[in-house]
Amino acid sequence: MTNVANMANAVDMAGVAGSSDAADVAGLTNPANVAVRNLTIRLGANTVIENLDLDVRAGEFVVLLGPSGCGKSTLLHSIAGLIDVTDGAIEIAGEDMTWADPKDRRIALVFQSYALYPTMSVERNLSFALRINGTPKAEIARRVARASEMLQLGPLLKRKPAQLSGGQRQRVAIGRAIVREADVFLFDEPLSNLDAKLRTELRRELKQLHQRLGATMIYVTHDQVEAMTLATRMAVMRGGVIQQFGTPAEVYARPDNLFVATFLGTPAMNLLKGTLETREGRVHFSTGHWRLDVSAYPFKNTPANGLPCVLGVRAEDVRLAEGASEHAKVSLVEPMGNHRVIWLDYHGVQVASIDQTKTPLAIGDTAAFSFDSTHVSLFDEAGGARL
Ligand SMILES: Nc1ncnc2c1ncn2[C@@H]1O[C@H](COP(=O)(O)OP(=O)(O)OP(=O)(O)O)[C@@H](O)[C@H]1O
Ligand SMILES: [Mg+2]
């Protein structure tokens, strides 16, 4: 058995304490808040997480998003109790759980690899944890019936995992978490083994599941589309540090630094280097050959005149329109079905524009465009922080 399977089973066998009262979907879970305080985790000589704080409200769907190796799984596993913390505390439903056994945390964990028991039917896989902890038969039947109804597993209950597709297996793995009626659901890249179509389907199902259950969910992924679509709030991580924590709309529209700005969005946010010129009560962003009045920009602090900075503008805020002030040669056209990404060579910088028009445009054509100045982001070039 793989290490991950072992861990999954450890949490599985731990079972979930309490909550056997018959109730409808609303009573299935008792959503708990999760507070991570000043968490530091060292693995060997490696400090993976340092002084991290995270507050997850009861019933939230929080996504931990970041590149490979940034510490997402480590953080999730520490909440689950699978890793010893070096320093700091983890509270679940207001209770200090830092050193509590995984089985006492009222959590359920779903991994990327389904870790199903190959010799057991779907039904027995679903009920395994409950049978181990001595849940009465009628209660097991009730919970399995409800989970299989929610996840449309009814016709599959008698099958073995080998007779299921990847998506069906992952549904069973999620079902196994549901029957345990946990207060907090933890997911570690549960969809990443599936093909693109299944991923989108299961992603929608997960979102609906969250809406029906109202459970607290913490979900790890490095897929920005999953993060944007699923999260009530998302934490963008890098090198064990949360770079920004907010709603997907906030993080997308007002990234706190250059890393977040370029990590989210397809194509990535356009970045132009320049300086800020403050004169006679006005502020202009200037690249030398182009100026934009950014006086209305909500600066956190009044910027110094001449400050080197980076202007960020999303591709959908680069508008192609006849008669617009800026001109550039088209360097590439990417048709996406319902829109096109037009790449422009703007003074040697590749600028992407998401274009919904059907205007004929080919490589080498000159296009007129403008930047929507109300939606730009400005960053300090030196540290990358949002101005
Ligand atoms: N047992 C260990 N000993 C030392 N370092 C470790 C150990 N386990 C993980 N690490 C390191 O901790 C860092 C964070 O790992 P983690 O698995 O949490 O990343 P992740 O964000 O989940 O990445 P991925 O997206 O690839 O799953 C990595 O740099 C990894 O090499
Ligand atoms: Mg991981």
Side-chain angles (χ1 to χ4, degrees):
M1 204 182 282
T2 67
N3 201 19
V4 164
N6 266 326
M7 287 203 283
N9 296 341
V11 173
D12 233 14
M13 296 210 254
V16 176
S19 106
S20 62
D21 47 82
D24 216 20
V25 174
L28 270 179
T29 172
N30 205 354
N33 70 312
V34 176
V36 176
R37 306 240 181 268
N38 221 358
L39 183 74
T40 296
I41 294 180
R42 275 184 214 108
L43 298 173
N46 197 354
T47 302
V48 180
I49 288 172
E50 197 159 23
N51 292 331
L52 183 142
D53 287 293
L54 178 70
D55 267 296
V56 179
R57 299 182 201 121
E60 258 198 303
F61 198 128
V62 163
V63 173
L64 308 177
L65 174 73
S68 187
C70 72
K72 306 178 295 291
S73 296
T74 304
L75 175 56
L76 197 78
H77 295 169
S78 69
I79 295 169
L82 299 174
I83 303 182
D84 283 349
V85 313
T86 310
D87 206 356
I90 289 163
E91 290 170 18
I92 299 175
E95 234 179 291
D96 187 342
M97 291 285 181
T98 316
W99 296 105
D101 205 79
K103 75 169 169 12
D104 299 325
R105 297 187 183 211
R106 296 185 296 276
I107 48 133
L109 193 50
V110 179
F111 287 99
Q112 172 181 2
S113 58
Y114 328 110
L116 299 179
Y117 303 101
T119 58
M120 291 182 201
S121 67
V122 167
E123 189 169 22
R124 305 224 10 118
N125 262 288
L126 288 173
S127 61
F128 181 78
L130 303 179
R131 285 184 277 122
I132 288 286
N133 77 5
T135 306
K137 270 200 173 133
E139 175 64 14
I140 294 179
R142 182 187 72 85
R143 294 199 203 177
V144 168
R146 181 138 44 193
S148 63
E149 195 242 302
M150 253 186 231
L151 295 161
Q152 292 139 42
L153 292 171
L156 309 175
L157 285 175
K158 299 291 171 222
R159 293 202 204 164
K160 300 269 172 65
Q163 299 163 307
L164 301 175
S165 72
Q168 291 168 334
R169 280 181 216 163
Q170 193 53 291
R171 241 189 245 133
V172 177
I174 294 167
R176 230 171 26 173
I178 291 174
V179 295
R180 298 178 47 235
E181 304 192 347
D183 296 345
V184 180
F185 288 80
L186 307 174
F187 296 93
D188 195 350
E189 311 228 22
L191 308 184
S192 58
N193 278 348
L194 307 176
D195 67 46
K197 185 161 175 287
L198 264 179
R199 271 180 95 124
T200 0
E201 276 174 26
L202 221 48
R203 191 179 78 210
R204 276 206 308 276
E205 280 177 29
L206 264 177
K207 187 163 177 142
Q208 282 164 349
L209 191 68
H210 175 249
Q211 278 158 358
R212 290 175 73 184
L213 280 175
T216 307
M217 295 186 172
I218 307 178
Y219 186 103
V220 162
T221 184
H222 57 256
D223 182 315
Q224 53 161 314
V225 177
E226 272 175 30
M228 293 292 291
T229 52
L230 288 171
T232 51
R233 286 192 296 167
M234 60 201 256
V236 183
M237 293 180 67
R238 178 199 203 183
V241 177
I242 294 178
Q243 304 288 308
Q244 188 168 3
F245 185 38
T247 65
E250 276 165 11
V251 176
Y252 184 80
R254 286 182 299 282
D256 265 349
N257 58 42
L258 279 172
F259 173 77
V260 178
T262 48
F263 195 74
L264 285 181
T266 314
M269 189 180 248
N270 294 299
L271 300 177
L272 295 162
K273 281 190 187 179
T275 51
L276 287 178
E277 293 170 354
T278 56
R279 215 173 291 143
E280 288 152 15
R282 308 297 301 171
V283 188
H284 284 89
F285 170 80
S286 168
T287 62
H289 36 73
W290 172 67
R291 286 171 96 219
L292 184 71
D293 191 330
V294 290
S295 305
Y297 183 84
F299 286 101
K300 290 182 183 164
N301 298 297
T302 313
N305 187 22
L307 183 77
C309 86
V310 177
L311 177 130
V313 58
R314 294 261 175 227
E316 61 271 30
D317 297 322
V318 179
R319 307 260 164 79
L320 302 184
E322 260 180 67
S325 61
E326 300 308 307
H327 296 87
K329 277 223 154 50
V330 174
S331 56
L332 191 68
V333 177
E334 293 182 301
M336 298 287 179
N338 59 354
H339 69 273
R340 292 179 299 178
V341 179
I342 311 285
W343 290 88
L344 303 163
D345 186 338
Y346 186 57
H347 302 286
V349 180
Q350 291 299 310
V351 170
S353 165
I354 289 181
D355 184 49
Q356 312 273 5
T357 72
K358 303 267 187 280
T359 318
L361 271 176
I363 294 172
D365 287 355
T366 298
F369 68 98
S370 61
F371 297 105
D372 182 346
S373 66
T374 56
H375 286 118
V376 299
S377 290
L378 291 167
F379 305 97
D380 181 8
E381 191 186 327
R386 186 180 189 82
L387 294 174

